Amino acid sequence: MISAKANPAGDPREYLDSQGRIRPEYQAAFQLLEGLGKDRLGDLWRQGRREAQLDAFSFLLDPRVYRSIPIDWIPRVVPRREWEVISAGVSQRLKALNLFLTDLYNGQQSVVPEDVIYSCQYFYPEYQDFRPARDVFVHIYGSDLVRLEDGRYVVLEDNLRIPSGITYQLKSCQLLEKLMPELVSAYDIVPFDIRETYLDMFHSLCDGEDPVCVLLTDSKLGAAFFEHRYLAELLGIPLVEGSDLYIGAEGRVMLKSPGGDVAVDLVYRRVEDLEIFVPGLTDAYLEGKVALVNGMGTSAADDKLVFQWVPEMIRHYLDEEPVLDQAVSYDLRYAESRHYVIQNLDRMVIKTRQGYGGLGVYVMPDLDEESRIQLGRRIVEQPRMFVAQETLDFSRHLIFDDETGEFEDRYIDLRVFAVQNGRGETTAFPGGLTRVSQANSRITNNSSGGLCKPTWVVR
């Protein structure tokens, strides 16, 4: 049923070694899945889909249409030796990016060219001379990686504004344990607890012993409302909308409460524009009246062009060499780079600098000639809007289609989440969110309609 296929160069399948044999960490899983048979697997896949629907495990691409998260239940298995490299590299990037932002908003940044910063849509010059609580801008960080044929993990993007998806990582693993407990028990999976790590981070940013913390959502109709609800319940903090908060007479953020309004010490924001939701919240933050997770201004380091200088940030701020490689990028402001990219357009990925969630990402090998020509013209006309990256031959993984009863390979990436607290300590959570592309695509984002997979780090 599950057969070892050829694993040709340039088309790596993560569950196979270079000889086309099933890698040791997948043998127990594949043996169990084969033993169940396709009919039973189809029943389990449909049962899992029902469980996701009943728990409102969703990501709404269109608020008018209910859509549960599509999940493939064949787990991704990451050996601990690989995870240790990933964890070290992600933590390193988080520290360097935070130090860069601290310098950026205090007039001491010298790594990224000034014209790159000033052309960044989400750089806020009005935050100059501002230092957030404990000098932490980036509290929760997501790094998007892909695995290459040689086993290296390479960073594609950094996510600092409002990185989403950690609950999809948690929930998919929980549902798999319910669906196939015998599969889970066959592995020694590295455990982790985001609740204690998050709460410790919140408390480390506040002065009082028992701070009041809230999670600010955009609404029940927001795309990621499941995650907001899940996290608020897990952390034991109120889930609030903008109408639940206001700025009090002393400039403090106040939470409306039947028993008397309460001053808020920390807002875990899951919205971009604070002033639309809570007028005056930005001033309260800048005046040190409330802590924000993540801080305002982090989006300057989300810029796809700023990404190019992260290795230099690591060298400059940490005096270390980068643990993880990152995709080769091209700065299209320069004629030489534009010429090279245009000449090699059919093997590039083009991204808008401010895009997110798969929006503004064009994988040129997957587009027709006319689309490539049109995008090439846009690059020439508006070079500051775009960046280019070399297309990588990253790994695929096996999925089971319960409608056809067949297995197929799809491209996968890995979003790894890490937290930094007010003491400068970082924690990367084992595993991550494995996102799976749609058929005939390399774009894996959930907001583009992709699937996700349970992901384990195993001893």
Side-chain angles (χ1 to χ4, degrees):
M1 186 175 66
I2 301 176
S3 59
K5 307 174 184 179
N7 205 12
D11 189 17
R13 294 171 174 87
E14 188 164 310
Y15 56 92
L16 302 178
D17 65 18
S18 60
Q19 304 302 312
R21 299 170 300 203
I22 295 174
R23 293 172 58 194
E25 56 267 27
Y26 284 100
Q27 289 174 1
F30 282 19
Q31 183 177 1
L32 186 145
L33 293 169
E34 284 189 329
L36 290 173
K38 289 185 177 180
D39 290 343
R40 178 58 180 153
L41 290 181
D43 291 340
L44 288 169
W45 260 237
R46 288 185 285 273
Q47 180 184 341
R49 190 156 52 244
R50 287 193 297 271
E51 294 284 350
Q53 291 171 342
L54 289 170
D55 201 24
F57 183 32
S58 60
F59 187 90
L60 302 182
L61 301 178
D62 182 341
R64 299 167 297 180
V65 180
Y66 178 81
R67 173 184 179 268
S68 61
I69 291 286
I71 307 170
D72 179 75
W73 301 107
I74 301 174
R76 184 184 201 173
V77 183
V78 180
R80 188 165 187 171
R81 65 182 182 280
E82 292 184 8
W83 169 250
E84 289 173 351
V85 176
I86 295 170
S87 175
V90 167
S91 296
Q92 183 187 56
R93 291 179 76 90
L94 169 53
K95 292 177 182 177
L97 284 161
N98 187 74
L99 290 167
F100 160 73
L101 287 165
T102 302
D103 272 6
L104 174 63
Y105 286 108
N106 285 273
Q108 300 170 357
Q109 188 281 131
S110 60
V111 177
V112 181
E114 286 190 356
D115 60 333
V116 173
I117 295 297
Y118 294 143
S119 63
C120 174
Q121 180 179 343
Y122 295 109
F123 168 63
Y124 298 101
E126 61 269 32
Y127 295 168
Q128 283 294 305
D129 301 322
F130 171 71
R131 305 185 81 96
R134 315 297 187 262
D135 283 348
V136 181
F137 277 93
V138 190
H139 310 92
I140 301 171
Y141 165 68
S143 183
D144 292 346
L145 306 97
V146 292
R147 188 180 190 274
L148 304 188
E149 186 174 16
D150 59 9
R152 288 183 300 129
Y153 286 84
V154 175
V155 181
L156 295 183
E157 291 185 4
D158 300 298
N159 299 273
L160 297 87
R161 270 181 289 183
I162 310 171
S164 64
I166 193 163
T167 60
Y168 308 142
Q169 172 187 355
L170 296 172
K171 191 65 178 178
S172 62
C173 290
Q174 291 171 356
L175 287 172
L176 179 57
E177 186 170 6
K178 185 175 182 179
L179 285 175
M180 290 185 278
E182 67 278 16
L183 177 57
V184 176
S185 63
Y187 284 88
D188 185 7
I189 302 168
V190 176
F192 62 94
D193 180 4
I194 77 164
R195 182 180 188 275
E196 292 304 317
T197 304
Y198 270 56
L199 290 176
D200 172 69
M201 180 262 289
F202 291 172
H203 288 209
S204 72
L205 301 170
C206 303
D207 294 327
E209 292 185 2
D210 190 20
V212 175
C213 306
V214 300
L215 191 154
L216 177 60
T217 181
D218 47 2
S219 80
K220 293 180 180 179
L221 298 178
F225 182 74
F226 167 82
E227 175 150 285
H228 304 171
R229 173 177 63 86
Y230 186 108
L231 284 171
E233 292 176 357
L234 178 67
L235 300 173
I237 63 176
L239 178 62
V240 302
E241 297 186 24
S243 58
D244 297 315
L245 303 176
Y246 68 95
I247 306 302
E250 297 180 359
R252 293 290 303 275
V253 178
M254 304 299 294
L255 171 64
K256 298 175 184 177
S257 173
D261 296 354
V262 178
V264 174
D265 299 291
L266 180 143
V267 176
Y268 175 16
R269 68 180 184 103
R270 297 302 301 260
V271 302
E272 178 62 38
D273 193 333
L274 297 180
E275 293 305 302
I276 290 178
F277 293 92
V278 187
L281 180 52
T282 301
D283 286 341
Y285 169 60
L286 295 176
E287 293 168 7
K289 301 289 181 66
V290 68
L292 287 183
V293 174
N294 280 340
M296 293 298 290
T298 58
S299 47
D302 255 354
D303 188 295
K304 303 299 189 294
L305 183 53
V306 172
F307 170 86
Q308 186 170 333
W309 281 272
V310 176
E312 189 56 36
M313 293 179 199
I314 293 170
R315 298 183 183 100
H316 178 78
Y317 291 109
L318 305 180
D319 195 24
E320 299 170 356
E321 284 300 308
V323 173
L324 295 171
D325 292 331
Q326 66 178 46
V328 176
S329 299
Y330 297 94
D331 184 348
L332 299 176
R333 297 174 304 151
Y334 298 109
E336 184 178 354
S337 294
R338 287 197 303 276
H339 177 75
Y340 177 80
V341 168
I342 295 297
Q343 291 298 313
N344 297 276
L345 202 57
D346 59 348
R347 60 185 185 88
M348 294 289 168
V349 175
I350 306 299
K351 300 180 179 182
T352 56
R353 287 177 59 179
Q354 316 304 334
Y356 63 92
L359 300 175
V361 177
Y362 306 92
V363 183
M364 305 310 286
D366 297 344
L367 299 182
D368 57 46
E369 184 175 358
E370 179 60 28
S371 298
R372 290 199 293 266
I373 291 172
Q374 291 180 5
L375 194 56
R377 288 173 180 160
R378 292 178 63 190
I379 289 171
V380 172
E381 293 168 357
Q382 298 175 301
R384 289 180 177 270
M385 284 185 56
F386 300 95
V387 296
Q389 289 183 346
E390 298 276 0
T391 301
L392 297 174
D393 293 319
F394 59 98
S395 63
R396 301 187 191 194
H397 209 290
L398 202 65
I399 71 159
F400 178 69
D401 186 332
D402 61 281
E403 293 185 359
T404 65
E406 299 299 328
F407 294 92
E408 61 180 282
D409 292 306
R410 299 275 188 88
Y411 288 101
I412 57 171
D413 73 356
L414 182 66
R415 174 168 290 185
V416 175
F417 298 92
V419 163
Q420 180 172 226
N421 62 30
R423 300 182 296 275
E425 300 162 342
T426 60
T427 301
F429 298 114
L433 173 64
T434 291
R435 302 178 299 182
V436 185
S437 71
Q438 297 188 71
N440 303 314
S441 173
R442 304 185 203 212
I443 297 177
T444 59
N445 306 72
N446 295 122
S447 53
S448 299
L451 298 82
C452 67
K453 269 182 178 293
T455 306
W456 301 332
V457 172
V458 299
R459 298 184 179 94

